[in-house]
Structure formats: C-alpha cells, structure tokens
Amino acid sequence: MMEIGEFARLGGVSARMLRHYDRIGLLVPAHTAANGRRSYDESQLGRLHRLVALKGLGFGLDEVGALLGEGVGVEELRGMLRLREAELERRVRHDRHALDRVTARLRLIEEDRMNPNVEIKYLDAVTVAALSTTTPGDLVDVEALFDEVIERMDAAGADRTAPVARLRSVDEATVEVVAGYVVPANSVPGLETHRLPARTVASTIHQGPLSGLPTAYAALRRWGGQHCPACWRQQYLEADGDNQTHWIVELQLELHDGEA
C-alpha cells in the first residue's frame, strides 16, 4: 500500500487532485483510515494512468468515468491518441496557413507597388501529398498538376490545406515540378509523398492572376542576381474559385547557405 503522496508522485498528479477524484468516485483509495488518510494499492496506478490519458485527450470527467467503467484498454487508448494527434496536426496546419495569409495581406499593404518587398525567411521542412513531373521549362503547367492532386485528395477524403509547389531546374531547359498539399506523415492513396527540405528563402507576394507570376519571379531574379538559385516554391495562400483576381501567392526562392 502507498500513502497518497507517493501514489501522486508515481502517477504524475497532485494529492489534491487525487482527493478530488475520490470525492467524485472516479478513483477511490484502496483504504481510507478513520482519520481520513488515504492509501492506494499499486494496481490502481493503471487506472490512474488511463484517467490522466483520457483527460489529456480532451474528455470531461463524466466521459472519463464512463470510459473507465467500460474497461477501456491500451489499444483503444492508442487509437484515441492517434485520432487526437491527427486532429491537432490538422488544426496546426490550418492555423499556420491562416497566419501566413494574414502576414501576406500585411506585406501587400506595406509594400511599394513599384518596388515589391523581398523578405528573407526560414521555412521548416514539410511533407506534402503531391504529384510530380519533369517538363520543359516553357511548358510548366502547375495548375493542371494541382487539378489532378485535388481530384485524388477529394476521392480519398483527405484534408486539403496549404497548397505548395516546388520547381527545380534540372538543366537549362528542363524543370522538375512537385505540386501538392501539406499533410501529416501518412501518405494519401494515389499520391506521392514528398519531403520538402527546410530552407532559407527570399520571398515576395503576388496578388492577381497566375499569369502575372513570371513578372514577380523576374523581380526576384533581379534581386538575386547571378546567385539566383535553381529551386523556387509557390505557396498558394488564397486560391479559391476560378476568378484569380484576388488570388494571393507567395513566391519563394530557395537560398544556398551564406546567401541570406
């Protein structure tokens, strides 16, 4: 038998919380002395760990009690954890994309139209569910590639957040294109999984039809001069509907070490 303090330490909770669990019948001590001192059996640690895990997954104490009463097992807890993890990852992706959109709007407000603002920033590595192709540079059709990606993601019921394309010059005439959506590590059926590396980039914001992207890219090339890298990305921040008048795309040139 363990005193409440030792049991609380092993379970990673406070003694006050254990007293609360006792009062509401969620975790009753194995023995309570006449003076009110609570003692717990080591076998009760499993129930305590399940209780804490279920609370961490967002369940209320009433729901926790019901689930414990049903004898929820380790595999069930693991499944719940995977679902919760996926939901939190989805929320982070949506929040990150929303923040990028607001930041892009602010940059558009602040910049001089005649001299687009170039910003240096660091991009974390991301995993994308995508399709890729290698094509002559003058025949790159990112939209067509995205159309196919969207069709396959919708068929799989996959969450579509944070569309991004990465273009890499293979040689003077050929470009490798990867177009897709940021996803968790798990792949989407029918799509390739690509890991876009962490990079420092020079970026500018383009608002309007995609036909204007070459102009924005040319401005970045002028900024980069002879050291302009062979890889660039297009992050689609607002790209809903067929009317591209209000579309917002962040064009990003990957910089080699020391170029920032």
Side-chain angles (χ1 to χ4, degrees), residues 117-207:
N117 178 45
V118 176
E119 178 181 295
I120 306 299
K121 60 193 292 187
Y122 179 79
L123 303 179
D124 291 323
V126 293
T127 300
V128 295
L131 290 174
S132 61
T133 186
T134 301
T135 181
D138 57 350
L139 295 178
V140 172
D141 190 347
V142 179
E143 288 182 80
L145 209 54
F146 266 118
D147 287 342
E148 181 64 25
V149 171
I150 290 170
E151 183 176 327
R152 297 189 188 188
M153 292 192 77
D154 287 349
D159 178 60
R160 289 195 285 109
T161 307
V164 60
R166 185 174 190 252
L167 300 91
R168 181 179 67 87
S169 296
V170 178
D171 53 44
E172 291 185 0
T174 310
V175 175
E176 177 191 62
V177 184
V178 174
Y181 289 79
V182 177
V183 295
N186 296 330
S187 61
V188 177
L191 293 177
E192 307 159 7
T193 298
H194 289 263
R195 185 69 171 170
L196 303 189
R199 287 287 187 273
T200 298
V201 301
S203 79
T204 189
I205 304 298
H206 169 74
Q207 183 176 29

Coordinates of all heavy atoms in Angstrom, one line a residue, residues 117-207:
N117 N 8.3 44.2 -52.1 CA 9.1 43.9 -51.0 C 9.6 42.4 -51.0 O 8.9 41.5 -51.3 CB 8.2 44.0 -49.7 CG 9.0 43.7 -48.4 OD1 10.1 44.1 -48.3 ND2 8.3 42.9 -47.6
V118 N 10.9 42.3 -50.8 CA 11.6 41.0 -50.7 C 11.9 40.7 -49.3 O 12.6 41.5 -48.7 CB 12.8 40.9 -51.6 CG1 13.5 39.5 -51.4 CG2 12.4 41.1 -53.1
E119 N 11.5 39.6 -48.8 CA 11.7 39.3 -47.4 C 12.5 37.9 -47.3 O 12.2 37.0 -48.0 CB 10.4 39.1 -46.6 CG 10.4 38.7 -45.2 CD 9.1 38.6 -44.5 OE1 8.4 39.6 -44.4 OE2 8.7 37.5 -44.1
I120 N 13.4 37.9 -46.4 CA 14.2 36.7 -46.1 C 13.5 36.0 -44.9 O 13.3 36.6 -43.9 CB 15.7 37.0 -45.8 CG1 16.3 37.8 -46.9 CG2 16.4 35.7 -45.6 CD1 16.3 37.2 -48.2
K121 N 13.2 34.7 -45.1 CA 12.6 33.9 -44.0 C 13.0 32.5 -44.1 O 13.6 32.0 -45.1 CB 11.0 34.0 -44.2 CG 10.5 33.4 -45.5 CD 9.1 33.8 -45.8 CE 8.1 33.1 -44.8 NZ 6.7 33.3 -45.2
Y122 N 12.8 31.8 -43.0 CA 13.2 30.4 -42.9 C 12.0 29.5 -42.9 O 11.0 29.8 -42.3 CB 13.9 30.1 -41.6 CG 14.4 28.7 -41.4 CD1 15.5 28.2 -42.0 CD2 13.7 27.8 -40.6 CE1 15.9 26.9 -41.9 CE2 14.0 26.5 -40.4 CZ 15.2 26.0 -41.1 OH 15.6 24.7 -40.9
L123 N 12.0 28.5 -43.8 CA 10.9 27.5 -43.9 C 11.3 26.2 -43.3 O 12.4 25.6 -43.6 CB 10.5 27.3 -45.4 CG 10.2 28.5 -46.2 CD1 9.9 28.0 -47.6 CD2 8.9 29.2 -45.6
D124 N 10.5 25.7 -42.4 CA 10.7 24.3 -41.8 C 10.4 23.3 -42.9 O 9.7 23.5 -43.9 CB 9.7 24.1 -40.7 CG 10.1 24.9 -39.4 OD1 11.3 25.1 -39.2 OD2 9.2 25.4 -38.7
A125 N 11.0 22.1 -42.8 CA 10.7 21.0 -43.7 C 9.3 20.6 -43.5 O 8.7 20.6 -42.4 CB 11.7 19.9 -43.4
V126 N 8.6 20.3 -44.6 CA 7.2 19.8 -44.6 C 7.1 18.6 -45.5 O 7.8 18.4 -46.5 CB 6.3 20.9 -45.1 CG1 6.3 22.1 -44.1 CG2 6.6 21.4 -46.5
T127 N 6.1 17.8 -45.2 CA 5.7 16.7 -46.0 C 4.5 17.1 -46.8 O 3.5 17.6 -46.3 CB 5.4 15.4 -45.1 OG1 6.5 15.1 -44.4 CG2 5.0 14.3 -46.0
V128 N 4.5 16.7 -48.1 CA 3.3 17.0 -49.0 C 2.9 15.8 -49.7 O 3.7 14.9 -50.1 CB 3.7 18.1 -50.0 CG1 4.0 19.5 -49.3 CG2 4.8 17.7 -50.9
A129 N 1.5 15.7 -49.8 CA 0.9 14.7 -50.7 C 0.8 15.3 -52.1 O 0.2 16.4 -52.2 CB -0.4 14.3 -50.2
A130 N 1.5 14.8 -53.1 CA 1.7 15.5 -54.3 C 1.8 14.6 -55.5 O 1.8 13.4 -55.4 CB 3.0 16.4 -54.2
L131 N 1.8 15.3 -56.6 CA 2.2 14.6 -57.9 C 3.4 15.4 -58.4 O 3.6 16.6 -58.2 CB 1.1 14.7 -58.9 CG -0.1 13.8 -58.6 CD1 -1.3 14.0 -59.6 CD2 0.3 12.3 -58.6
S132 N 4.2 14.7 -59.2 CA 5.4 15.4 -59.7 C 5.6 15.1 -61.2 O 5.0 14.1 -61.7 CB 6.7 14.9 -59.0 OG 6.9 13.5 -59.1
T133 N 6.3 15.9 -61.9 CA 6.5 15.7 -63.3 C 7.8 16.5 -63.7 O 8.2 17.4 -63.0 CB 5.4 16.2 -64.2 OG1 5.6 15.9 -65.6 CG2 5.2 17.7 -64.1
T134 N 8.4 16.0 -64.7 CA 9.6 16.7 -65.3 C 9.2 17.2 -66.7 O 8.7 16.4 -67.5 CB 10.8 15.8 -65.4 OG1 11.1 15.4 -64.0 CG2 12.0 16.6 -65.9
T135 N 9.3 18.5 -67.0 CA 8.8 19.0 -68.2 C 9.7 20.2 -68.7 O 10.5 20.8 -67.9 CB 7.4 19.6 -67.9 OG1 6.8 20.1 -69.2 CG2 7.4 20.7 -66.9
P136 N 9.7 20.5 -70.0 CA 10.4 21.6 -70.5 C 10.0 22.9 -69.7 O 8.8 23.1 -69.4 CB 10.0 21.7 -72.0 CG 9.7 20.3 -72.3 CD 9.0 19.7 -71.1
G137 N 10.9 23.8 -69.5 CA 10.6 24.9 -68.7 C 9.6 25.8 -69.2 O 8.8 26.5 -68.5
D138 N 9.4 25.9 -70.5 CA 8.4 26.7 -71.1 C 7.0 26.1 -71.2 O 6.1 26.7 -71.7 CB 8.9 27.2 -72.5 CG 9.1 26.0 -73.5 OD1 9.2 24.8 -73.0 OD2 9.3 26.2 -74.7
L139 N 6.9 24.8 -70.7 CA 5.6 24.1 -70.7 C 5.1 23.8 -69.3 O 4.2 22.9 -69.2 CB 5.8 22.8 -71.6 CG 6.1 23.0 -73.0 CD1 6.2 21.7 -73.7 CD2 5.0 23.8 -73.7
V140 N 5.7 24.4 -68.3 CA 5.3 24.1 -66.9 C 3.8 24.5 -66.7 O 3.4 25.6 -67.0 CB 6.1 24.9 -65.9 CG1 5.6 24.7 -64.5 CG2 7.6 24.4 -66.0
D141 N 3.0 23.5 -66.3 CA 1.6 23.8 -66.0 C 1.2 23.3 -64.6 O 0.7 22.2 -64.4 CB 0.7 23.1 -67.0 CG -0.8 23.5 -67.0 OD1 -1.2 24.1 -66.0 OD2 -1.5 23.1 -67.9
V142 N 1.5 24.2 -63.6 CA 1.3 23.8 -62.2 C -0.2 23.6 -61.9 O -0.6 22.7 -61.2 CB 1.9 24.9 -61.3 CG1 1.6 24.5 -59.8 CG2 3.4 25.0 -61.5
E143 N -1.0 24.4 -62.6 CA -2.5 24.3 -62.3 C -3.0 23.0 -62.7 O -3.8 22.4 -61.9 CB -3.2 25.4 -63.1 CG -3.0 26.8 -62.6 CD -3.8 27.8 -63.4 OE1 -5.0 28.0 -63.1 OE2 -3.2 28.5 -64.3
A144 N -2.6 22.4 -63.8 CA -3.1 21.1 -64.3 C -2.7 20.0 -63.3 O -3.4 19.1 -63.0 CB -2.6 20.8 -65.7
L145 N -1.5 20.2 -62.7 CA -1.0 19.2 -61.8 C -1.8 19.3 -60.5 O -2.2 18.2 -59.9 CB 0.5 19.4 -61.5 CG 1.4 18.3 -61.1 CD1 1.3 17.1 -62.1 CD2 2.8 18.7 -60.9
F146 N -2.1 20.5 -60.1 CA -2.9 20.7 -58.9 C -4.3 20.1 -59.1 O -4.9 19.6 -58.2 CB -3.0 22.2 -58.5 CG -2.0 22.6 -57.4 CD1 -1.0 23.5 -57.7 CD2 -2.0 22.0 -56.2 CE1 -0.1 23.9 -56.8 CE2 -1.0 22.4 -55.2 CZ -0.1 23.3 -55.5
D147 N -4.9 20.3 -60.2 CA -6.2 19.8 -60.5 C -6.3 18.3 -60.3 O -7.2 17.8 -59.7 CB -6.6 20.1 -62.0 CG -7.0 21.6 -62.2 OD1 -7.2 22.3 -61.2 OD2 -7.0 22.0 -63.3
E148 N -5.3 17.6 -60.7 CA -5.2 16.1 -60.6 C -5.0 15.8 -59.1 O -5.6 14.8 -58.6 CB -4.1 15.5 -61.4 CG -4.0 14.0 -61.3 CD -5.2 13.3 -61.9 OE1 -5.9 13.9 -62.7 OE2 -5.4 12.1 -61.5
V149 N -4.2 16.5 -58.4 CA -4.0 16.3 -57.0 C -5.3 16.5 -56.2 O -5.6 15.7 -55.3 CB -2.9 17.2 -56.4 CG1 -2.8 17.2 -54.9 CG2 -1.5 16.9 -57.0
I150 N -6.0 17.6 -56.5 CA -7.2 17.9 -55.8 C -8.3 16.7 -56.0 O -8.9 16.3 -55.1 CB -7.8 19.2 -56.3 CG1 -6.9 20.4 -55.8 CG2 -9.3 19.4 -55.8 CD1 -7.3 21.7 -56.4
E151 N -8.3 16.3 -57.2 CA -9.3 15.2 -57.5 C -9.0 13.9 -56.7 O -9.9 13.3 -56.1 CB -9.2 14.8 -59.0 CG -10.2 13.8 -59.5 CD -10.2 13.5 -61.0 OE1 -9.9 14.5 -61.7 OE2 -10.4 12.4 -61.4
R152 N -7.7 13.6 -56.6 CA -7.3 12.4 -55.8 C -7.5 12.6 -54.3 O -7.9 11.7 -53.6 CB -5.9 12.0 -56.2 CG -5.7 11.6 -57.7 CD -4.3 11.0 -57.9 NE -4.1 10.9 -59.4 CZ -3.1 10.2 -59.9 NH1 -2.2 9.7 -59.1 NH2 -3.0 10.1 -61.2
M153 N -7.2 13.8 -53.8 CA -7.4 14.0 -52.4 C -8.8 14.0 -52.0 O -9.2 13.5 -51.0 CB -6.7 15.4 -52.0 CG -5.2 15.4 -52.1 SD -4.4 16.8 -51.3 CE -4.5 16.3 -49.5
D154 N -9.7 14.6 -52.8 CA -11.1 14.6 -52.6 C -11.7 13.2 -52.6 O -12.5 12.8 -51.8 CB -11.9 15.5 -53.6 CG -11.6 17.0 -53.3 OD1 -11.1 17.3 -52.3 OD2 -12.0 17.8 -54.2
A155 N -11.2 12.4 -53.5 CA -11.6 11.0 -53.6 C -11.2 10.2 -52.4 O -11.9 9.3 -51.9 CB -11.0 10.3 -54.8
A156 N -10.1 10.6 -51.8 CA -9.6 9.9 -50.5 C -10.2 10.5 -49.3 O -9.9 10.0 -48.2 CB -8.1 9.9 -50.5
G157 N -10.9 11.6 -49.4 CA -11.5 12.3 -48.2 C -10.4 13.0 -47.4 O -10.5 13.2 -46.2
A158 N -9.3 13.4 -48.1 CA -8.1 14.0 -47.3 C -8.3 15.5 -47.1 O -9.0 16.1 -48.0 CB -6.8 13.7 -48.1
D159 N -7.8 16.0 -46.1 CA -7.9 17.4 -45.8 C -6.9 18.2 -46.7 O -5.7 17.8 -46.8 CB -7.5 17.6 -44.3 CG -7.5 19.1 -43.9 OD1 -8.5 19.7 -44.1 OD2 -6.4 19.6 -43.5
R160 N -7.4 19.2 -47.3 CA -6.6 20.0 -48.3 C -6.3 21.3 -47.6 O -7.2 22.2 -47.6 CB -7.3 20.2 -49.6 CG -7.3 18.9 -50.4 CD -7.7 19.2 -51.9 NE -9.1 19.5 -52.1 CZ -9.6 20.7 -52.4 NH1 -8.7 21.7 -52.5 NH2 -10.9 20.9 -52.6
T161 N -5.1 21.5 -47.1 CA -4.6 22.7 -46.5 C -3.2 23.0 -47.0 O -2.4 22.1 -47.2 CB -4.6 22.6 -45.0 OG1 -5.9 22.2 -44.5 CG2 -4.3 24.0 -44.3
A162 N -2.9 24.3 -47.2 CA -1.6 24.8 -47.5 C -1.0 24.2 -48.8 O -0.1 23.4 -48.8 CB -0.6 24.5 -46.3
P163 N -1.6 24.5 -49.9 CA -1.1 24.1 -51.2 C 0.3 24.7 -51.5 O 0.5 25.9 -51.3 CB -2.1 24.5 -52.2 CG -2.8 25.7 -51.6 CD -2.8 25.4 -50.1
V164 N 1.2 23.9 -52.0 CA 2.5 24.4 -52.3 C 3.1 23.7 -53.5 O 2.8 22.5 -53.7 CB 3.5 24.3 -51.1 CG1 3.6 22.9 -50.7 CG2 4.8 24.9 -51.4
A165 N 3.8 24.4 -54.4 CA 4.5 23.8 -55.5 C 6.0 24.1 -55.4 O 6.4 25.2 -55.0 CB 4.0 24.3 -56.8
R166 N 6.8 23.1 -55.7 CA 8.3 23.3 -55.7 C 8.8 23.0 -57.1 O 8.5 22.0 -57.7 CB 9.0 22.4 -54.7 CG 10.5 22.7 -54.6 CD 11.1 21.9 -53.4 NE 12.5 22.3 -53.1 CZ 13.6 21.5 -53.4 NH1 13.4 20.4 -54.1 NH2 14.8 21.9 -53.1
L167 N 9.5 24.0 -57.7 CA 10.1 23.8 -59.0 C 11.6 23.8 -58.9 O 12.2 24.7 -58.3 CB 9.5 24.9 -59.9 CG 8.0 25.0 -60.1 CD1 7.4 25.9 -59.0 CD2 7.6 25.5 -61.5
R168 N 12.2 22.9 -59.6 CA 13.7 22.8 -59.5 C 14.2 22.6 -60.9 O 13.7 21.8 -61.7 CB 14.1 21.5 -58.7 CG 15.6 21.3 -58.6 CD 15.9 20.1 -57.7 NE 15.5 18.9 -58.4 CZ 16.3 18.2 -59.3 NH1 17.5 18.7 -59.6 NH2 15.8 17.1 -59.8
S169 N 15.1 23.5 -61.3 CA 15.8 23.4 -62.6 C 16.7 22.2 -62.7 O 17.6 22.0 -61.9 CB 16.6 24.7 -62.9 OG 15.7 25.8 -62.9
V170 N 16.3 21.3 -63.6 CA 17.2 20.1 -63.8 C 18.3 20.5 -64.7 O 19.5 20.1 -64.5 CB 16.3 19.0 -64.5 CG1 17.2 17.7 -64.7 CG2 15.2 18.6 -63.6
D171 N 18.1 21.2 -65.8 CA 19.1 21.8 -66.6 C 18.6 23.1 -67.2 O 17.5 23.6 -66.8 CB 19.5 20.8 -67.7 CG 18.3 20.2 -68.5 OD1 17.5 21.0 -68.9 OD2 18.3 19.0 -68.8
E172 N 19.2 23.6 -68.2 CA 18.8 24.9 -68.7 C 17.4 24.9 -69.3 O 16.7 25.9 -69.5 CB 19.8 25.4 -69.7 CG 21.1 25.8 -69.1 CD 22.1 26.4 -70.1 OE1 21.7 26.5 -71.3 OE2 23.2 26.8 -69.8
A173 N 16.9 23.7 -69.8 CA 15.7 23.6 -70.5 C 14.6 22.9 -69.8 O 13.4 22.8 -70.2 CB 15.9 23.0 -71.9
T174 N 14.9 22.2 -68.7 CA 14.0 21.3 -68.0 C 13.8 21.6 -66.6 O 14.7 22.0 -65.8 CB 14.5 19.8 -68.1 OG1 14.9 19.5 -69.5 CG2 13.5 18.8 -67.7
V175 N 12.5 21.4 -66.1 CA 12.1 21.8 -64.7 C 11.4 20.6 -64.1 O 10.5 20.0 -64.8 CB 11.2 23.0 -64.7 CG1 10.7 23.2 -63.3 CG2 12.0 24.2 -65.2
E176 N 11.8 20.2 -62.9 CA 11.0 19.2 -62.1 C 10.0 19.9 -61.3 O 10.4 20.9 -60.5 CB 12.0 18.4 -61.3 CG 11.3 17.4 -60.4 CD 12.2 16.8 -59.3 OE1 12.7 17.6 -58.5 OE2 12.4 15.6 -59.4
V177 N 8.8 19.5 -61.3 CA 7.7 20.2 -60.6 C 7.1 19.2 -59.6 O 6.7 18.1 -60.0 CB 6.6 20.7 -61.5 CG1 5.6 21.5 -60.7 CG2 7.2 21.6 -62.6
V178 N 6.9 19.6 -58.4 CA 6.2 18.9 -57.3 C 5.0 19.8 -56.9 O 5.3 20.9 -56.4 CB 7.1 18.5 -56.2 CG1 6.2 17.8 -55.1 CG2 8.2 17.5 -56.6
A179 N 3.8 19.3 -56.9 CA 2.7 20.2 -56.5 C 1.8 19.3 -55.6 O 1.4 18.2 -56.0 CB 1.9 20.6 -57.8
G180 N 1.4 19.9 -54.5 CA 0.6 19.2 -53.6 C 0.2 20.0 -52.3 O 0.3 21.2 -52.3
Y181 N -0.2 19.2 -51.3 CA -0.7 19.9 -50.1 C 0.0 19.3 -48.9 O 0.4 18.1 -48.8 CB -2.2 19.6 -49.9 CG -3.1 20.3 -50.9 CD1 -3.2 19.9 -52.2 CD2 -3.7 21.5 -50.5 CE1 -4.0 20.6 -53.1 CE2 -4.5 22.2 -51.4 CZ -4.7 21.7 -52.7 OH -5.5 22.4 -53.5
V182 N 0.3 20.2 -47.9 CA 1.0 19.8 -46.7 C 0.1 18.8 -45.9 O -1.1 19.1 -45.7 CB 1.3 21.1 -45.8 CG1 2.0 20.6 -44.5 CG2 2.2 22.0 -46.6
V183 N 0.7 17.7 -45.6 CA -0.1 16.7 -44.9 C 0.7 16.1 -43.7 O 1.9 16.4 -43.6 CB -0.4 15.5 -45.8 CG1 -1.4 16.0 -46.9 CG2 0.8 14.9 -46.5
P184 N 0.1 15.3 -42.8 CA 0.9 14.6 -41.8 C 1.8 13.5 -42.5 O 1.8 13.4 -43.8 CB -0.1 13.9 -41.0 CG -1.4 14.6 -41.3 CD -1.3 15.1 -42.7
A185 N 2.6 12.8 -41.8 CA 3.5 11.8 -42.3 C 2.8 10.7 -43.2 O 3.4 10.2 -44.1 CB 4.3 11.2 -41.2
N186 N 1.6 10.4 -42.8 CA 0.9 9.4 -43.6 C 0.6 9.8 -45.0 O 0.1 11.0 -45.2 CB -0.4 9.0 -42.8 CG -0.2 8.4 -41.5 OD1 0.9 7.7 -41.3 ND2 -1.1 8.5 -40.6
S187 N 0.8 8.9 -45.9 CA 0.5 9.3 -47.3 C -1.0 9.3 -47.7 O -1.8 8.7 -46.9 CB 1.3 8.3 -48.2 OG 0.8 7.0 -48.1
V188 N -1.3 9.9 -48.7 CA -2.7 9.9 -49.3 C -2.8 8.9 -50.4 O -1.9 9.0 -51.3 CB -3.1 11.3 -49.7 CG1 -4.5 11.3 -50.3 CG2 -3.1 12.3 -48.6
P189 N -3.7 8.0 -50.4 CA -3.8 7.0 -51.5 C -3.8 7.7 -52.9 O -4.5 8.6 -53.1 CB -5.1 6.2 -51.2 CG -5.3 6.4 -49.8 CD -4.7 7.7 -49.4
G190 N -3.0 7.2 -53.8 CA -3.0 7.7 -55.1 C -2.0 8.9 -55.4 O -1.9 9.4 -56.5
L191 N -1.4 9.3 -54.3 CA -0.5 10.5 -54.4 C 0.9 10.1 -53.9 O 1.1 9.2 -53.0 CB -1.0 11.7 -53.6 CG -2.2 12.3 -54.2 CD1 -2.7 13.5 -53.2 CD2 -2.0 12.9 -55.6
E192 N 1.9 10.8 -54.4 CA 3.3 10.6 -53.9 C 3.5 11.4 -52.6 O 2.8 12.3 -52.3 CB 4.3 11.1 -54.9 CG 4.1 10.5 -56.3 CD 4.7 11.3 -57.4 OE1 5.4 12.3 -57.1 OE2 4.4 11.0 -58.6
T193 N 4.4 10.9 -51.8 CA 4.8 11.7 -50.6 C 6.1 12.3 -50.8 O 7.1 11.6 -51.1 CB 4.8 10.8 -49.3 OG1 3.5 10.2 -49.1 CG2 5.2 11.6 -48.1
H194 N 6.2 13.6 -50.7 CA 7.5 14.3 -50.9 C 7.8 15.1 -49.7 O 6.9 15.7 -49.0 CB 7.4 15.3 -52.1 CG 7.3 14.6 -53.4 ND1 8.4 14.5 -54.2 CD2 6.3 14.1 -54.1 CE1 8.1 13.8 -55.3 NE2 6.8 13.6 -55.3
R195 N 9.1 15.1 -49.3 CA 9.6 15.9 -48.2 C 10.3 17.1 -48.7 O 11.4 17.0 -49.3 CB 10.5 15.0 -47.3 CG 11.0 15.7 -46.0 CD 9.9 15.8 -45.0 NE 10.3 16.3 -43.7 CZ 9.6 16.6 -42.7 NH1 8.2 16.6 -42.9 NH2 10.1 17.0 -41.6
L196 N 9.7 18.3 -48.5 CA 10.3 19.5 -49.0 C 11.3 19.9 -47.9 O 10.9 20.1 -46.7 CB 9.3 20.6 -49.2 CG 8.2 20.3 -50.2 CD1 7.4 21.6 -50.6 CD2 8.8 19.7 -51.5
P197 N 12.6 20.1 -48.2 CA 13.6 20.4 -47.2 C 13.4 21.7 -46.5 O 12.9 22.7 -47.1 CB 14.9 20.3 -48.0 CG 14.5 20.7 -49.4 CD 13.1 20.1 -49.6
A198 N 13.9 21.8 -45.3 CA 14.0 23.2 -44.7 C 15.0 24.1 -45.4 O 16.0 23.6 -45.9 CB 14.5 23.0 -43.2
R199 N 14.5 25.3 -45.6 CA 15.4 26.2 -46.4 C 15.2 27.6 -46.0 O 14.1 28.0 -45.5 CB 15.0 26.1 -47.9 CG 15.5 24.9 -48.6 CD 17.0 24.9 -48.9 NE 17.4 23.8 -49.7 CZ 17.8 22.6 -49.2 NH1 17.7 22.4 -47.9 NH2 18.2 21.7 -50.1
T200 N 16.2 28.4 -46.1 CA 16.0 29.9 -46.1 C 15.7 30.4 -47.4 O 16.3 29.9 -48.4 CB 17.3 30.6 -45.6 OG1 17.7 30.1 -44.3 CG2 17.2 32.1 -45.6
V201 N 14.6 31.2 -47.5 CA 14.2 31.7 -48.8 C 14.1 33.2 -48.9 O 14.0 33.9 -47.9 CB 12.8 31.1 -49.2 CG1 12.8 29.5 -49.2 CG2 11.7 31.6 -48.2
A202 N 14.1 33.7 -50.1 CA 13.7 35.1 -50.4 C 12.3 35.1 -51.0 O 12.1 34.3 -51.9 CB 14.7 35.7 -51.3
S203 N 11.4 35.8 -50.4 CA 10.0 35.7 -50.9 C 9.4 37.1 -51.2 O 9.8 38.1 -50.7 CB 9.2 35.0 -49.8 OG 8.8 36.0 -48.8
T204 N 8.5 37.0 -52.1 CA 7.7 38.2 -52.4 C 6.2 37.7 -52.6 O 6.0 36.5 -52.9 CB 8.2 38.9 -53.7 OG1 7.5 40.1 -53.9 CG2 8.0 38.0 -55.0
I205 N 5.3 38.7 -52.5 CA 3.9 38.3 -52.5 C 3.3 38.8 -53.9 O 3.5 40.0 -54.3 CB 3.1 39.0 -51.4 CG1 3.7 38.6 -50.0 CG2 1.6 38.6 -51.5 CD1 3.7 37.1 -49.7
H206 N 2.6 37.9 -54.5 CA 1.9 38.2 -55.8 C 0.4 38.1 -55.6 O -0.1 37.1 -55.1 CB 2.3 37.3 -56.9 CG 1.5 37.4 -58.1 ND1 1.6 38.5 -59.0 CD2 0.5 36.6 -58.6 CE1 0.7 38.3 -60.0 NE2 0.0 37.2 -59.8
Q207 N -0.3 39.2 -56.0 CA -1.8 39.2 -55.9 C -2.3 39.3 -57.3 O -1.9 40.2 -58.1 CB -2.3 40.3 -55.0 CG -3.8 40.3 -54.9 CD -4.3 41.3 -53.9 OE1 -3.7 42.4 -53.8 NE2 -5.5 41.1 -53.3

